[in-house]
Amino acid sequence: MTTGSTVLFDAPGPVTRRRHLLYSGLFLLAFAGILAWVFVRLNDAGQLEAEIFEKLFQENILSAILDGLANTLKAAVLAIVLAVLLGFLLATGRLSERAYVRWPATAVIEFFRAVPLLLLIIFIFAMLGGRGLETQARGLMALVGGLMLYNGAVLAEVFRAGVNAVPKGQAEAAYAIGMRKTQVLMIIQMPQAIRYMLPAIISQCVVALKDTSLGFAAAYLELLRQGRLIAEYVGNNLWTYVMIALIYIVLNSIVSTIATMLEKRLRTSGAGKAVEATEEAVPQG
Amino acid sequence: MDVLLENWRPILQAFGVTVEMMLAAGLIAMLVGSLLAAMRVSPIPLARAFGTGYVWTVRNTPLLVIMVLFAFGLPEIEVRPELNLNSWLGLETSHRLLNFNVFFIFATAALGLYTAAFVCEALRSGINSVHLGQAEAARAVGMTFTQTLRHIVLPQAFRAVIAPLASVLIAMTKNTSVAVGVGVTEATFMMRKLTNDNATALIAIFLGFALGYMVLVAIISAIANFLERKVKVA
């Protein structure tokens, strides 16, 4: 073990090892106690009847889940693509040398980073009212619009940090051979910055994927909203939502693992320090 | 603009619920988060595994899913906490802000337990940021794990941790809005209600509520800045 935490204590001797074993035993006992309590509680409430699970694992439920999953992924992909485009636009705006471009871009970035995402989604949903839109289309537009504005603002800051992380000499050399500002940004700085930014962008994808669950509040039939329909149909909230949660965990774990692997690869390939998402690491929703 | 001025009372009350959620969930998050961070750096392998597992699970679950699972799932196994401080305090006139229903309690608990994972990570990175030599020196003079942590590492980690902890709490403040999904009558709930009733003043309503949230966020930033200046080593 070479982690920093091991320096906090010595390599345990025989007595300490026995003590740790005791603590581990107590910990396990407490954990088992909680599990047993949950089990008794579930049993008493009749939540462990085989009938519930027979209902939950029907074929039409599976297809309902797949529908919800498809809607979730549709919203997530649309939102991420649009957010990357918007983020790029806002970042170029904020990096501009002209104040009348820089200030509005800064204001937009700061505003959408500060406003709660769900407030934004509900607002857009209300704005889209009375235009004869079908509910699902309206919900999708509100969800994707909100996600695009919020994640776009967050990604703009990631892009800016990435460009600033490229060594100054690169831009200076490019100016010296007569490139213009736009050329320097597009040909020299951005391609290098992407390397620094990729892990942060992918972890933002996980955040966006999680946040699609807020479509629930805009009546968009994504996985969670679909889960509510399933819960009503099956007549069991507890296990339906446990199942929905497990699907989210598996889905996000896959994307998170890809992000971590990529980050490790970038670190070892000598790309220097990756841009860290700070506040962005704490997802909304 | 008129809509906001006419309804200032219910709006303020809704933000009151938001602030209550912030305080209660923040307290839960700090307590559970500290406990998890202690587990993750402790010498007991099982506790370490539990801490790691908790953080991984929470990071990959949407907050709204946890809230919905708590608020709609747990009542099915007869868990229905309610807290009415009005009758508890023996008040004559009952006040809405002192009556906490099931949805408020479950939403707050979900938000607190969710944020705890991020508090844990902020604290752990703070502990890791303390120079190795500090802990080594403490070990060398014979301090135990608890002593090292309490007298040497944590006081220094506290400094490094204020800024990331503040961003976690700011994100949590914004996340109180998610509780509208399980029917808590907080600020976002009130905004949805007002936008449903006043289709002509949507932008004014939105900007008004956005401003309200920004004020709450600004308060946290101000406290964090104050603390940071106070513990700064020249």
Side-chain angles (χ1 to χ4, degrees), chain B residues 132-151:
Chain B
L132 271 185
Q134 295 285 325
E136 276 168 0
R139 299 291 311 141
V141 297
M143 286 188 173
T144 63
F145 170 67
T146 328
Q147 284 174 325
T148 315
L149 215 55
R150 200 176 130 209
H151 297 295

Side-chain angles (χ1 to χ4, degrees), chain A residues 183 235 241 272 280:
Chain A
Q183 288 176 312
Y241 289 130
E280 297 72 73

Side-chain angles (χ1 to χ4, degrees), chain A residues 3 26 59 70 99 107 121 136 182 193 223 229 233:
Chain A
T3 51
L26 286 177
E59 220 169 284
I121 291 174
Q136 282 306 296
T182 324
L223 189 53
L229 294 181
Y233 177 76

Side-chain angles (χ1 to χ4, degrees), chain A residues 130-163:
Chain A
R131 281 156 211 245
L133 276 173
E134 188 228 342
T135 323
Q136 282 306 296
R138 189 177 160 197
L140 179 65
M141 282 162 82
L143 177 62
V144 170
L147 285 171
M148 174 188 83
L149 291 172
Y150 173 70
N151 291 300
V154 171
L155 284 176
E157 286 300 274
V158 172
F159 291 159
R160 192 169 68 107
V163 168

Side-chain angles (χ1 to χ4, degrees), chain B residues 1-230:
Chain B
M1 208 51 210
D2 290 343
V3 189
L4 293 173
L5 294 176
E6 277 162 28
N7 294 295
W8 70 270
R9 244 191 131 85
I11 291 175
L12 222 57
Q13 207 165 43
F15 270 107
V17 177
T18 296
V19 170
E20 281 179 342
M21 252 187 111
M22 265 170 76
L23 294 176
L27 196 69
I28 297 172
M30 292 297 279
L31 289 176
V32 178
S34 311
L35 201 69
L36 285 170
M39 279 181 172
R40 284 200 79 170
V41 299
S42 84
I44 306 163
L46 216 58
R48 272 220 292 265
F50 179 80
T52 313
Y54 184 98
V55 172
W56 177 263
T57 311
V58 167
R59 281 196 121 157
N60 288 308
T61 320
L63 172 60
L64 187 55
V65 173
I66 305 179
M67 279 193 188
V68 167
L69 177 62
F70 276 26
F72 302 141
L74 290 184
E76 289 194 344
I77 54 168
E78 309 301 324
V79 184
R80 287 195 188 86
E82 283 192 42
L83 182 66
N84 190 343
L85 284 182
N86 287 303
S87 57
W88 197 68
L89 292 168
L91 292 180
E92 295 272 314
T93 50
S94 83
H95 199 280
R96 265 188 54 205
L97 283 178
L98 291 176
N99 193 2
F100 305 105
N101 64 12
V102 187
F103 298 118
F104 177 89
I105 291 177
F106 276 143
T108 307
L111 181 60
L113 293 175
Y114 177 84
T115 312
F118 300 97
V119 169
C120 166
E121 288 305 274
L123 291 177
R124 200 170 63 100
S125 68
I127 291 173
N128 285 338
S129 78
V130 175
H131 203 273
L132 271 185
Q134 295 285 325
E136 276 168 0
R139 299 291 311 141
V141 297
M143 286 188 173
T144 63
F145 170 67
T146 328
Q147 284 174 325
T148 315
L149 215 55
R150 200 176 130 209
H151 297 295
I152 308 298
V153 176
L154 285 185
Q156 297 186 66
F158 184 65
R159 264 180 227 133
V161 118
I162 293 175
L165 213 53
S167 11
V168 168
L169 291 178
I170 286 170
M172 188 198 73
T173 303
K174 287 156 63 185
N175 274 336
T176 55
S177 64
V178 176
V180 71
V182 294
V184 178
T185 54
E186 41 69 79
T188 305
F189 186 92
M190 183 51 73
M191 186 193 88
R192 190 166 69 179
K193 192 163 166 257
L194 290 179
T195 52
N196 284 343
D197 301 343
N198 308 279
T200 47
L202 290 180
I203 293 174
I205 295 173
F206 171 66
L207 290 178
F209 277 86
L211 188 72
Y213 277 103
M214 283 176 196
V215 168
L216 294 180
V217 167
I219 293 173
I220 297 179
S221 307
I223 295 174
N225 282 339
F226 172 76
L227 283 177
E228 227 171 10
R229 239 177 307 140
K230 203 159 178 193

